[in-house]
Amino acid sequence: MSPVTTTEIRQYLRAHGIPFQDGHSCLRAPSPFVGSSDIKNQKNDATTSFCLFIDKTTGHFLCMTSLAEGSWEDLQASVEGRGDGAKEGVLLREGPEAEDREEVLRIWNRAIPLWELPDPEETQLARVMFGLTKVTDDTLRKFSVRYLRSARSLVFPWFTPGSLGLRGLKLLGAEGQENGVQYIETTIPRPGVYHNLFGLPLISRRDVEVVLTSRELDSLALSQATGLPTLSLPRGTVCLPPSLLPYLEQFRRIVFWLGDDLRSWEAAKLFARKLNPKRCSLVRPGKQQPRPLEALNQGLSLPRILRTALPAWHKSIVSFRQLREEVLGELSNVEQAAGVRWSRFPDLNRLLKGHRKGELTVFTGPTGSGKTTFISEYALDLCTQGVNTLWGSFEISNVRLARVMLTQFAVTRLEEQLDKYEEWADRFEDLPLYFMTFHGQQSIRSVIDTMQHAVYVYDVCHVVIDNLQFMMGHEQLSTDRIAAQDYVVGAFRKFATDNSCHVTLVIHPRKEDDDKELQTASIFGSAKQAVASQEADNVLILQDRKLVTGPGKRYLQVSKNRFDGDVGVFPLEFNKSSLTFSIPPKSKARLKKIKDDNGLVAKKPSSGKKGAVHQNSETCLGQDRSPCQPDSSKSSR
């Protein structure tokens, strides 16, 4: 399916005599799914007949009256009379499955309002656990919030727009931790199709301003303290599904108050791009500007905090004054500014400090060393922490890649425990993980277009490309291999910067002698040719030769780190049963840290063989014999 542009959508509507109105992120037009079947003759009334919203970026449509929705191709088929099935309701947004519907009703009927709990002590305990001591019963009643005693969870309803039909629920449990309370969310239906803008039934057509939050509890506090319309995003800071944009079209001003950390701030800036930054403002996280519920409990003025919201859009930066608040935010939150930290690779955290948006990481290693196996675990680690990830695997099939990642996720061989497959598959399916359907040679333009689509639709902030060579031959840009490589790397660098998205690019190195370790020049060529080496923020090399003290070792080398300059190496151990490279918790692996400016060793490795790691001769996705396939496998890297 080829992408469509806003210009093409407008031209098509004009060519078919369909009136439309230009909105912030959507075009509004008469709907063929309600009233007269001739949309050209429908009355030009924006509040009644102009109920079809067409996304300017994707062409996806939603009829707010009938709830029919579909792709741009579906709408074209309907307009041209080729989509009789669509008019009969094939495209109508499906309600929850029968099993989910029964579960939703069962839970909703068992849940009761918090103020109706028979035991006052139980009521007080619930209010303390969820931070609701200052939220009134009237506010809870206004938003139809209930409490499920058996699960000790708050229950937030998802009502069908325009009616009181119950489409789903979100259960919020609370567990006491040493450093506070941890909230656990469960949605019915699953998170991927749970598109509840909590608070939507309370929005009036006359409302022109709204405050968006990342938690239902924050919306309760905001509504009570300010009286302003407020909505809670269904998946918090993880993503803003484009299917929700039509419901936000009516607002002239949208304020994001998503949380009190830098991750919330970055998510707010990303979401504002979808909604037209000119109408968006952002509440900057800070000690005096915590999330709304905490502000209410601390006795802070929520209206005053909202008045400090910064515009999300400016034409250009003319002075440090426009940057000083963001600089202060990074200085006040040094660890958060360093990015998302890996949970499986602590030594990677010590060198790179974290995984940051807008950067380009180049990763290489010898053929058969396990590059794809390692990078799949590297990306999976981040994905399990909420980093929305898009995989572009041009060399191996998505089925095989998903099988490896599922094994790494479960940390066990599921072929030996098939009875546990459904359990692990359900958990794996809930990860914000997506796969490109390309295979083999592809043009850089088609790949970039797909990445742009993923950033817009799924709020992807990490893209893995495996590997660069599958785009170089297709371009026919130059007979000079280095020049072609520079062009492709430059395109990914520009994408990463423009979209605040981290791109990890796997590159095959040039052939080196067996007794030589790979260097940065093994990827990019000589210093004079290495334009691409300047584009990369990080360069990682999976070495399969030797560590300082002896042969037979495999280790990861960080040879470039633009964030703070720390480079170095640390050993890896391949676990054949779980297909993982992550260092076991009890391992005392050495970390050799090197100063980037003069190459002097800052921290010498310990002497002796302590921490030495055995190298397994088999890798999962390499050219060598693979534990994933029979010995007769012919697949090659």
Side-chain angles (χ1 to χ4, degrees), residues 139 212 217 299 375 398 588 594 597:
T139 300
L212 298 184
L217 295 175
I375 211 67
N398 286 333
K588 297 182 180 179
I594 306 170
D597 52 351

Side-chain angles (χ1 to χ4, degrees), residues 259-405:
D260 52 8
D261 56 13
L262 283 181
R263 195 166 183 178
S264 301
W265 175 253
E266 292 296 329
K269 291 192 289 186
L270 180 64
F271 296 166
R273 289 186 182 185
K274 292 185 181 183
L275 295 170
N276 186 346
K278 293 183 179 181
R279 63 169 173 157
C280 295
S281 297
L282 319 175
V283 173
R284 185 183 67 80
K287 289 185 178 179
Q288 294 303 312
Q289 298 184 169
R291 58 171 60 253
L293 182 63
E294 293 177 12
L296 178 68
N297 290 333
Q298 293 175 22
L300 301 176
S301 172
L302 276 69
R304 184 195 62 78
I305 294 176
L306 285 174
R307 287 195 293 271
T308 68
L310 304 172
W313 179 87
H314 50 74
K315 187 175 182 181
S316 61
I317 295 174
V318 295
S319 70
F320 175 71
R321 182 179 181 181
Q322 293 170 285
L323 286 173
R324 64 183 296 158
E325 293 299 326
E326 291 195 49
V327 172
L328 175 61
E330 293 208 359
L331 291 175
S332 304
N333 302 275
V334 176
E335 288 192 5
Q336 293 181 24
V340 179
R341 295 171 67 84
W342 286 269
S343 61
R344 298 190 180 201
F345 300 100
D347 284 327
L348 203 52
N349 292 327
R350 268 175 262 173
L351 292 174
L352 292 179
K353 306 303 181 292
H355 182 270
R356 295 165 290 277
K357 293 182 179 180
E359 291 190 351
L360 173 66
T361 294
V362 168
F363 175 68
T364 193
T367 299
S369 61
K371 290 189 297 296
T372 303
T373 308
F374 171 81
I375 211 67
S376 67
E377 184 183 11
Y378 160 102
L380 177 66
D381 186 337
L382 298 167
C383 189
T384 56
Q385 299 179 68
V387 176
N388 298 9
T389 304
L390 174 68
W391 248 97
S393 176
F394 302 93
E395 194 165 10
I396 65 171
S397 70
N398 286 333
V399 172
R400 189 177 175 195
L401 175 62
R403 175 183 173 182
V404 171
M405 296 185 78

Side-chain angles (χ1 to χ4, degrees), residues 432-451:
L433 178 63
Y434 309 92
F435 300 89
M436 296 186 195
T437 56
F438 297 133
H439 193 72
Q441 294 282 350
Q442 298 295 329
S443 71
I444 183 65
R445 185 68 261 163
S446 62
V447 173
I448 292 290
D449 284 345
T450 302
M451 291 162 60

Side-chain angles (χ1 to χ4, degrees), residues 414-446:
L414 291 175
E415 57 261 49
E416 299 170 0
Q417 305 178 58
L418 290 179
D419 57 317
K420 295 185 178 180
Y421 174 77
E422 294 298 333
E423 174 189 348
W424 282 107
D426 285 344
R427 294 172 61 181
F428 189 73
E429 187 178 335
D430 286 339
L431 293 178
L433 178 63
Y434 309 92
F435 300 89
M436 296 186 195
T437 56
F438 297 133
H439 193 72
Q441 294 282 350
Q442 298 295 329
S443 71
I444 183 65
R445 185 68 261 163
S446 62

Side-chain angles (χ1 to χ4, degrees), residues 477-491:
L477 297 167
S478 171
T479 55
D480 185 345
R481 183 184 67 86
I482 298 298
Q485 178 173 278
D486 286 348
Y487 172 82
V488 176
V489 172

Side-chain angles (χ1 to χ4, degrees), residues 108 110-141 144-149 152-156 172 217 220:
W108 185 245
R110 288 175 55 194
I112 61 175
L114 198 59
W115 60 90
E116 291 185 6
L117 289 177
D119 185 353
E121 291 186 3
E122 183 181 7
T123 303
Q124 183 61 21
L125 177 61
R127 284 186 172 276
V128 171
M129 286 296 290
F130 293 103
L132 297 175
T133 53
K134 293 191 176 182
V135 176
T136 66
D137 291 343
D138 287 341
T139 300
L140 296 174
R141 185 181 295 108
S144 302
V145 179
R146 295 186 181 182
Y147 182 75
L148 186 63
R149 299 180 69 188
R152 295 183 180 179
S153 300
L154 292 177
V155 181
F156 303 104
L172 184 68
L217 295 175
L220 298 177

